[in-house]
Amino acid sequence: MKLSSTGIAIAALCAVAGAQNLTGRWTARIAGDGLTREMVLALDVDASGHVAGYLQTPQSEDRIVDGRASGSVFWFIGERDAGPPQRIYGGEAQGEKLQLFAAGNRAQKTEFARVSADRPQPLPPPPPKVSLAAPPPVAPNGLAQTPPMGWNSWNKFQRKVDDQVVREIADAMVKDGMRDAGYLYVNIDDTWEGARDASGVLLPNAKFPDMRALADYVHRKGLRLGIYSSPGPKTCAGYEGSYQHEAQDAKTWAEWGIDYLKYDWCSAARVYAPDQATMQAAYAKMGTALLASGRSIVYSLCQYGMLDVGEWGAKVGGNLWRTTDDIGDRWVSMQNIGFNLQSGREKYAGPGHWNDPDMLEIGNGGMSDTEYRTHMSLWSLLAAPLLAGNDLRDVTPGILEILTNKEVIAVDQDPLGKQGTRVSRQGDAEVWARPLADGGYAVGLFNRGAAEAKVTAQWSDIGISGAHAVRDLWAHAGRGAVSGAYSATVPSHGVVMLKIAK
Ligand code: GLA
């Protein structure tokens, strides 16, 4: 059928009318932990289908810098004055409801409801950011002489962590031998935070009725309790941060009996200027507050490796600092962080201050046991914090064996505290080595390729010569005295991990 010119004009008008229906303010409510948090989407669609407006979440503000709408479907690019520069969103309206998703995460849609069909006002320009002078060094707290070991809620539970989960994980850590293998910290990540009371004291939300009682419970098990906050006004998940309450929060945590703090940059990028001196000062503020709190609290910086954090992380009181963006439970993510993004940072690691390639994904199901052995071996060679990130309440014996391999843990916890490095690479075959306090070496023969391969560690690459006793740390077996080199057949994405005696 051929449309008349009037028909075409009507069809075009309908399309435009459909597009214009999106114009207005839409809100989404996120509930579930005793707090209701709101997201606002302001859309302004012109006659040509061009989209303007903004998206406000508790932790960020995206200005729409470009976008198109066609009928009820739309996409836009949001730009932040902080954090990852641009994000792409897509969505579709149905009547007075609208679904929004972030590109790359179509599965997670947020439902908005229309609150007004008025054309939204543009956002006022962002307030000027605070610049701070480089701080004087914060005295070392003397903690974390070897990389911290424990468990953290984020990788597996995200927002679903609560008092009961933490208690059950603590029980499991005692029962399944994790505690006795050295995993001592039970760390609550984001989403525990509630509101502040009239005097500004930060309270937990409904998921955590009594933090002091929880700390007592965890301590009675011979474990320690960790918590999470941000130098910004909001955490990454949009909960209350410690901005302008640093000393008060440190005191609150000390009173509860907290032993570890992960301090995550997140919305600090909205209030602080993006320079090294300012970021150092923001972290030093909490470093000083923790020292003054009267309790020994391990201080973990989380700012994704920005602004050469290795150069100053220890000077602001940090015991460890993240080196990259978040790990995912996938081979590509884990191997990229472990093999590609850690080299060159070894000079910053040592007793009391460690590079943190992020928490373990071992047991979360997205990798094979072979890949998880690689994860554990590589993190131990890197002198990385070992923070299990799985549900320890229903861990399989195979996964437990990987997490609690005492010979591999001994490499991670070696008192010399020297981070290992890659000593050779041939295609997908890589050899990493780490000098140990007893004069020996821990060595990993890794195969990053898709097929089984022979990998050889040359003594000259490690810097040794002559005959040395070799032990396989996953087979738990001696391999005799070996001269010159050691070769092994390594499965795809796998490792053979050795201790080479002095
Ligand atoms: C950031 C951190 C994660 C986790 C989440 C919580 O993404 O890098 O490790 O703490 O925030 O919101």
Side-chain angles (χ1 to χ4, degrees):
M1 186 186 77
K2 231 175 149 237
L3 276 179
S4 66
S5 58
T6 326
I8 292 171
I10 290 171
L13 257 179
C14 287
V16 169
Q20 280 176 333
N21 272 342
L22 294 166
T23 291
R25 277 171 70 86
W26 306 75
T27 60
R29 286 175 171 273
I30 321 163
D33 41 31
L35 299 175
T36 304
R37 295 165 320 117
E38 196 173 67
M39 291 167 73
V40 175
L41 176 63
L43 293 176
D44 187 352
V45 184
D46 72 13
S48 67
H50 182 259
V51 179
Y54 55 87
L55 172 66
Q56 276 175 321
T57 71
Q59 69 272 41
S60 65
E61 232 163 53
D62 286 73
R63 286 156 200 277
I64 298 178
V65 292
D66 193 12
R68 308 292 302 171
S70 169
S72 57
V73 179
F74 64 93
W75 63 266
F76 63 81
I77 299 174
E79 198 167 86
R80 298 180 174 191
D81 50 343
Q86 289 192 330
R87 269 167 207 233
I88 303 173
Y89 296 88
E92 181 165 11
Q94 268 184 343
E96 298 304 283
K97 297 257 189 277
L98 172 158
Q99 300 220 316
L100 183 74
F101 59 86
N105 194 6
R106 245 172 195 281
Q108 201 175 326
K109 295 195 166 99
T110 308
E111 186 166 287
F112 286 75
R114 188 195 290 279
V115 284
S116 131
D118 296 343
R119 178 150 270 140
Q121 293 297 310
L123 274 181
K129 291 185 182 169
V130 179
S131 287
L132 303 173
V138 177
N141 59 16
L143 303 171
Q145 292 303 298
T146 60
M149 289 176 66
W151 174 87
N152 173 293
S153 57
W154 187 254
N155 284 356
K156 172 71 188 178
F157 292 90
Q158 303 217 334
R159 291 168 197 273
K160 297 207 175 97
V161 64
D162 60 19
D163 179 276
Q164 192 185 340
V165 165
V166 174
R167 284 172 194 248
E168 288 173 5
I169 291 286
D171 295 346
M173 287 171 79
V174 174
K175 210 166 107 214
D176 64 18
M178 285 287 285
R179 178 194 64 186
D180 295 344
Y183 294 87
L184 292 185
Y185 291 94
V186 183
N187 292 348
I188 306 165
D189 208 281
D190 205 351
T191 79
W192 67 266
E193 308 87 343
R196 293 186 183 276
D197 71 10
S199 28
V201 174
L202 181 56
L203 307 172
N205 62 43
K207 296 190 300 175
F208 290 92
D210 187 342
M211 278 293 188
R212 201 186 308 214
L214 179 58
D216 286 346
Y217 184 87
V218 168
H219 290 156
R220 275 200 302 276
K221 305 252 157 194
L223 295 163
R224 300 174 189 157
L225 190 65
I227 214 155
Y228 167 101
S229 190
S230 170
K234 296 287 175 193
T235 67
C236 291
Y239 291 70
E240 193 67 19
S242 293
Y243 183 58
Q244 292 178 331
H245 292 274
E246 294 81 1
Q248 189 175 31
D249 288 356
K251 206 166 143 269
T252 302
W253 299 326
E255 280 165 11
W256 289 346
I258 295 296
D259 307 294
Y260 187 115
L261 170 69
K262 173 173 167 185
Y263 206 43
D264 195 347
W265 192 242
C266 308
S267 73
R270 294 177 70 193
V271 291
Y272 288 120
D275 62 79
Q276 208 190 51
T278 301
M279 190 183 273
Q280 287 178 17
Y283 273 104
K285 206 179 268 194
M286 183 53 84
T288 307
L290 292 177
L291 276 185
S293 76
R295 197 172 164 86
S296 290
I297 300 178
V298 170
Y299 187 27
S300 157
L301 317 188
C302 179
Q303 44 78 284
Y304 338 113
M306 296 187 292
L307 298 173
D308 293 325
V309 63
E311 293 282 349
W312 52 266
K315 288 186 212 135
V316 299
N319 297 111
L320 58 152
W321 45 83
R322 278 272 295 279
T323 53
T324 67
D325 230 326
D326 293 10
I327 195 169
D329 183 22
R330 298 179 304 277
W331 167 253
V332 271
S333 164
M334 185 277 286
Q335 63 100 35
N336 183 40
I337 289 179
F339 289 115
N340 299 340
L341 302 176
Q342 304 307 313
S343 285
R345 300 180 190 272
E346 56 281 352
K347 56 181 177 285
Y348 304 124
H353 47 91
W354 309 98
N355 291 306
D356 174 8
D358 209 353
M359 303 166 297
L360 300 173
E361 290 284 10
I362 296 169
N364 279 334
M367 289 183 253
S368 67
D369 283 8
T370 300
E371 291 168 338
Y372 286 141
R373 267 190 290 278
T374 293
H375 190 0
M376 183 75 186
S377 306
L378 187 53
W379 261 235
S380 296
L381 285 160
L382 291 169
L386 296 179
L387 293 167
N390 58 322
D391 189 348
L392 292 168
R393 299 170 305 180
D394 67 357
V395 63
T396 64
I399 290 298
L400 202 53
E401 210 179 295
I402 296 173
L403 285 168
T404 57
N405 181 329
K406 293 213 163 82
E407 298 194 72
V408 174
I409 291 175
V411 171
D412 182 75
Q413 296 290 299
D414 184 78
L416 186 61
K418 263 201 157 306
Q419 178 173 329
T421 52
R422 176 167 37 227
V423 297
S424 77
R425 168 159 52 184
Q426 272 188 316
D428 291 324
E430 296 195 9
V431 178
W432 287 65
R434 171 175 180 184
L436 302 173
D438 66 5
Y441 282 83
V443 175
L445 281 62
F446 293 98
N447 172 12
R448 295 171 69 180
E452 183 180 274
K454 189 172 150 192
V455 183
T456 300
Q458 299 286 351
W459 276 196
S460 55
D461 289 334
I462 300 166
I464 56 174
S465 57
H468 294 265
V470 170
R471 185 171 170 80
D472 184 320
L473 304 187
W474 287 108
H476 303 294
R479 300 295 188 217
V482 179
S483 296
Y486 184 92
S487 297
T489 302
V490 184
S492 159
H493 295 182
V495 63
V496 166
M497 187 153 167
L498 307 173
K499 161 93 189 269
I500 302 184
K502 189 176 169 192

